[in-house]
Amino acid sequence: MFRKLLIANRGEIACRVIRTCQRLGIRTVAVYSDADANALFMRMADEAHNIGPAPTTQSYLRGDAIIAVAQKTGAEAIHPGYGFLSENADFAEACATAGIVFVGPTPDAIRAMALKGAAKSLMEAAGVPVTPGYHGEAQDEQTLLSQARDIGYPVLIKAVAGGGGKGMRRVDNDSIFMESLASAQAEGRSSFGDDRVLIEKYIEVPRHIEIQLFADSHGNVVHLFERDCSLQRRHQKVIEEAPAPGLPEAMRAAMGDAAVRAAKAIGYQGAGTIEFIVDVSQGIEAAPFYFMEMNTRLQVEHPVTEMITGLDLVEWQLRVAAGEPLPKTQNDLTLTGHAIEARLYAEDPEADFMPATGTLERLSFPPSVRADSAVEQGDEVSVFYDPMISKLIVHGRDRDEALTRMRDALIRTRVEGLRTNLGFLRRIVSDVDFRQGHIDTGFIGRHIERLTAPWPDAETTSRSPWSDPTGFRLNLPPAAPVDLRRMTVAADDHSTSDVIAPMPGLVVAVHVKNGDVVEKNTPLIVLEAMKIQMTLKAPRAGTVTGMTVSVGDQVKEKTVLAAIE
Ligand code: ADP
Ligand code: ADP
Ligand code: MG
């Protein structure tokens, strides 16, 4: 086993990897940006080295700087976590060249799964069912349009290099196909530097069920059962659970086999996940399942698998990377009870989930819950990275017990100092439809109004928990959802025309300059914070004055950025 490991990541996952290393007696090296100079993970590591300024391109994405720290400190291996460099084949290759073990698959395996279209072709050849659609080379508009017609609407256009829910457009008919294609291509180009797309049948009632895989360098491959990640908001996971509610044993076995076949087809090593989309329009019994993509890394939601298998997946990753065989065979692996994870984010569900920043004046969890946190009470949530505060994970003998524990844990969790999605999570796990397992990826979107209704304050909550799980009402009428467009206007339309930053963020585009004459709603400035981009539009027609910002500026919340005269 390694004696010293560098963690090329930050936040929750860096803390998570360090905890396993501490248990195994492995020394840890953290790398951090200026924005993380006092972060929990860097305090937890045995040593920590600054690798540059806050923007990820100047710090956490700088493979060369990170490898230099590994060499300087004598770290034998690098754990990339998830996100950042974890699926970067060039970085994995650079580690190997530098004589450092990359804790993950080979560069070839990463490349094989990097593009969704090529991965689907490979999987088809290996006998793994893939979502019906077109994933060929030809990219001319006419070919793509006629393929969409052959597949039959609705279809989903996906950027082949996409991720994090970006570059996807649902298309319902011919008339909007070209427009949607152009915007998916543009998003693919700007976010991933690749405008190629594939087209899929749009599954109207899907569940997202994924299989956790593990493979070693001795040819052994096992699966660690499934996770259900159907509770998504805008294609981003919110709640995950294992096992998948109601999944028949025969289907679990078939999906596990298909995933193992997929891993063998590319000579996979380490932890990986095959994401399947399951068409449950006719129910889950015998529902068709299709390969969507493979994530060649540890997954954010891996703790639910740990809870039902009793294993430490980071320990397995390190053992495999050190050349050891898998600790267990398929027959040794058992699935016990039910586990649920909820992602606690600094964001405001009442204002379209706008990311929030600030100081965590209070942060505490009941001892009954596993809290994998990125921060501690007193820490800052900054504008630069993912707004995840913590993951809460519970286990029970069955789904009902796990849900009761999660509900209880969320009720007893205290966060003060900034807006979070805690109330939203409480409403989801209290929801009767969710409790009965009536879930699909459209669940949150369909019920968004009742799920984002404000949660009663702490006192009210502790006095009247759960007597009416779906119908909680404040004494006050629920606040009307904030309309983001209106937040660009201070006071009313006629008396003032300031353009104000509704959130802290980075200026990524400025479309106008002082003196320009604009119409009402002309896009003026694009702000980016964490995972979202927001276009600030002209509050009314007039002339731009007082523009104070340019691309690359970091702005504070409620700052006046320009005015319309
Ligand atoms: P998983 O698939 O492991 O459950 P996610 O899909 O939520 O997790 O995200 C995986 C990784 O990709 C995380 O590190 C997350 O921060 C990062 N990520 C997700 N969406 C985006 C995005 N839009 N832009 C940049 N990084 C993203
Ligand atoms: P990403 O790389 O952004 O995670 P995925 O291909 O994994 O992209 O898809 C993300 C999510 O989009 C899925 O979890 C699912 O909710 C939805 N989705 C993907 N493909 C389809 C499809 N063909 N029909 C309906 N929904 C889909
Ligand atoms: Mg995905």
Side-chain angles (χ1 to χ4, degrees):
M1 182 48 79
F2 311 113
R3 275 161 301 142
K4 203 177 206 182
L5 178 84
L6 183 146
I7 299 116
N9 214 298
R10 61 175 304 282
E12 172 271 323
I13 189 61
C15 299
R16 166 72 193 83
V17 174
I18 293 170
R19 276 196 300 278
T20 291
C21 290
Q22 288 171 342
R23 191 170 57 74
L24 298 178
I26 300 168
R27 290 187 62 77
T28 52
V29 180
V31 289
Y32 66 94
S33 75
D34 295 347
D36 282 330
N38 190 35
L40 179 61
F41 74 93
M42 74 83 83
R43 286 179 271 145
M44 280 174 69
D46 292 310
E47 43 183 303
H49 297 264
N50 184 291
I51 44 166
T56 54
T57 49
Q58 296 173 52
S59 50
Y60 297 107
L61 291 176
R62 282 199 52 209
D64 55 344
I66 292 169
I67 289 173
V69 173
Q71 287 175 321
K72 186 172 77 183
T73 57
E76 304 142 274
I78 295 181
H79 193 303
Y82 48 73
F84 294 140
L85 296 167
S86 61
E87 297 184 279
N88 185 317
D90 293 339
F91 178 67
E93 209 154 67
C95 288
T97 307
I100 293 163
V101 176
F102 174 79
V103 180
T106 61
D108 284 348
I110 299 176
R111 284 194 187 105
M113 290 296 177
L115 298 176
K116 291 178 198 284
K120 283 180 77 174
S121 303
L122 229 144
M123 291 298 104
E124 260 180 326
V128 177
V130 303
T131 319
Y134 170 77
H135 40 272
E137 296 285 323
Q139 292 287 319
D140 61 284
E141 288 178 350
Q142 281 314 316
T143 301
L144 294 172
L145 177 64
S146 74
Q147 289 291 344
R149 286 177 178 157
D150 288 353
I151 296 164
Y153 293 107
V155 299
L156 188 64
I157 304 175
K158 284 187 189 177
V160 295
K166 280 192 180 174
M168 295 201 281
R169 295 289 182 280
R170 174 189 163 142
V171 186
D172 288 297
N173 54 57
D174 263 8
S175 70
I176 50 157
F177 182 85
M178 287 306 177
E179 186 188 325
S180 307
L181 174 64
S183 79
Q185 288 170 327
E187 198 160 300
R189 206 178 305 121
S190 68
S191 297
F192 313 104
D194 189 334
D195 64 7
R196 287 174 293 170
V197 298
L198 58 78
I199 303 175
E200 280 180 0
K201 180 75 196 162
Y202 185 83
I203 313 282
E204 306 245 23
V205 192
R207 274 168 66 177
H208 173 123
I209 300 180
E210 57 185 35
I211 302 282
Q212 174 69 56
L213 283 170
F214 249 100
D216 64 20
S217 54
H218 307 274
N220 304 304
V221 186
V222 298
H223 71 81
L224 275 62
F225 314 106
E226 80 280 3
R227 292 183 287 258
D228 193 312
C229 310
S230 300
L231 254 74
Q232 307 181 348
R233 196 184 69 81
R234 301 213 181 125
H235 307 301
Q236 305 252 11
K237 299 161 186 171
V238 178
I239 300 240
E240 301 101 340
E241 50 188 315
L247 187 72
E249 196 53 53
M251 229 174 116
R252 170 171 300 123
M255 293 176 82
D257 284 351
V260 167
R261 253 197 325 276
K264 287 188 170 159
I266 56 166
Y268 197 73
Q269 281 179 38
T273 295
I274 306 281
E275 295 188 337
F276 290 105
I277 191 162
V278 184
D279 181 348
V280 294
S281 51
Q282 310 297 316
I284 184 90
E285 301 283 333
F289 61 87
Y290 307 110
F291 170 91
M292 228 173 0
E293 63 165 347
M294 179 171 193
N295 292 325
T296 54
R297 55 174 162 86
L298 192 68
Q299 206 89 350
V300 175
E301 58 276 18
H302 75 277
V304 292
T305 300
E306 299 188 317
M307 301 297 248
I308 58 156
T309 57
L311 304 170
D312 177 335
L313 299 198
V314 174
E315 176 181 349
W316 274 43
Q317 285 191 294
L318 297 175
R319 292 200 182 285
V320 165
E324 295 180 25
L326 290 177
K328 288 183 185 249
T329 65
Q330 192 69 59
N331 287 337
D332 298 333
L333 289 159
T334 48
L335 190 171
T336 308
H338 196 96
I340 303 178
E341 173 182 280
R343 301 188 188 194
L344 180 64
Y345 283 108
E347 62 185 13
D348 187 353
E350 289 168 53
D352 202 23
F353 293 85
M354 202 181 320
T357 58
T359 304
L360 285 155
E361 280 150 23
R362 179 147 182 217
L363 179 66
S364 66
F365 305 100
S368 57
V369 70
R370 167 173 166 184
D372 283 17
S373 299
V375 283
E376 285 180 324
Q377 185 164 304
D379 286 351
E380 290 273 328
V381 175
S382 82
V383 61
F384 296 106
Y385 311 111
D386 195 291
M388 190 153 75
I389 295 172
S390 187
K391 304 184 305 202
L392 277 71
I393 310 108
V394 296
H395 185 257
R397 277 169 300 184
D398 53 27
R399 187 169 188 263
D400 271 349
E401 188 174 84
L403 270 170
T404 301
R405 290 192 172 157
M406 179 57 90
R407 205 174 58 175
D408 180 66
L410 289 169
I411 289 289
R412 297 200 290 146
T413 293
R414 294 282 170 267
V415 199
E416 285 166 26
L418 43 72
R419 308 285 301 188
T420 70
N421 66 344
L422 185 58
F424 176 62
L425 297 174
R426 287 171 175 171
R427 288 216 179 256
I428 293 175
V429 298
S430 314
D431 193 277
V432 169
D433 284 341
F434 175 63
R435 292 183 71 88
Q436 290 177 348
H438 299 151
I439 51 171
D440 61 76
T441 61
F443 182 90
I444 289 181
R446 273 198 306 280
H447 304 304
I448 195 70
E449 285 203 8
R450 72 175 192 234
L451 297 176
T452 53
W455 188 263
D457 64 27
E459 287 66 42
T460 320
T461 307
S462 51
R463 274 191 281 111
S464 62
W466 319 119
S467 48
D468 173 15
T470 56
F472 268 124
R473 289 289 183 274
L474 281 173
N475 298 330
L476 304 165
V482 176
D483 181 344
L484 292 179
R485 282 159 306 177
R486 291 197 41 202
M487 296 193 62
T488 63
V489 189
D492 67 61
D493 250 17
H494 303 287
S495 60
T496 170
S497 54
D498 286 347
V499 179
I500 296 173
M503 62 177 190
L506 179 73
V507 177
V508 293
V510 178
H511 296 304
V512 292
K513 56 183 189 309
N514 286 330
D516 284 359
V517 175
V518 295
E519 295 296 314
K520 183 176 165 129
N521 289 334
T522 300
L524 306 174
I525 296 167
V526 182
L527 277 184
E528 189 176 279
M530 298 182 270
K531 283 185 185 175
I532 70 165
Q533 276 199 1
M534 187 182 292
T535 302
L536 307 186
K537 296 179 181 162
R540 62 177 169 94
T543 308
V544 178
T545 60
M547 174 71 75
T548 53
V549 292
S550 45
V551 171
D553 287 354
Q554 193 73 43
V555 299
K556 292 207 173 86
E557 188 179 356
K558 304 200 178 85
T559 320
V560 177
L561 307 179
I564 307 296
E565 228 171 51

